């Protein structure tokens, strides 16, 4: 990076401005990634909760849960009911 800056002939103020803009862009992208990871975990949790509810309902009607043909996704979220835990 230093070699690129030296060859460009840009003054230090311009280089610092470019560096700041790059850091801000990376920070914004990291925030987007963090939000997407949260959304994915939330969606997987909701899906797995729905699968568990359907399986429980099928058992109540005497239908084996295997007939549903849907498997929960592997995740690091809990199996606690969503929205029922008070902070």
């Amino acid at each position: 990076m230093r070699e690129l800056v030296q060859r460009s002939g840009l003054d230090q103020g311009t280089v610092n401005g470019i560096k700041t803009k790059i850091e801000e862009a990376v920070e914004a992208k990291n925030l987007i990634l963090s939000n997407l990871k949260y959304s994915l975990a939330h969606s997987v949790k909701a899906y797995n909760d729905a699968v568990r509810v359907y399986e429980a309902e099928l058992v109540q009607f005497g239908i084996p849960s295997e007939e549903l043909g849907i498997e929960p996704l592997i995740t690091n979220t809990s199996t606690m009911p969503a929205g029922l835990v008070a902070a």
Side-chain angles (χ1 to χ4, degrees):
M1 184 70 147
R2 282 192 184 122
E3 184 179 340
L4 180 64
V5 170
Q6 289 173 350
R7 289 186 182 195
S8 70
L10 297 173
D11 63 272
Q12 192 61 39
T14 304
V15 171
N16 288 341
I18 293 170
K19 180 181 174 187
T20 300
K21 286 182 182 181
I22 290 172
E23 288 171 350
E24 288 171 355
V26 169
E27 186 177 324
K29 300 293 181 183
N30 285 338
L31 181 60
I32 290 169
L33 284 173
S34 177
N35 290 337
L36 287 171
K37 287 178 183 179
Y38 174 80
S39 294
L40 177 62
H42 187 275
S43 297
V44 169
K45 170 79 171 126
Y47 171 83
N48 286 343
D49 287 350
V51 169
R52 279 189 279 283
V53 168
Y54 290 138
E55 286 176 345
E57 290 294 318
L58 287 174
V59 170
Q60 288 180 358
F61 292 110
I63 303 169
S65 62
E66 296 81 32
E67 288 191 25
L68 183 60
I70 301 174
E71 296 292 324
L73 299 173
I74 297 172
T75 181
N76 59 357
T77 59
S78 73
T79 56
M80 294 177 60
L84 298 178
V85 179

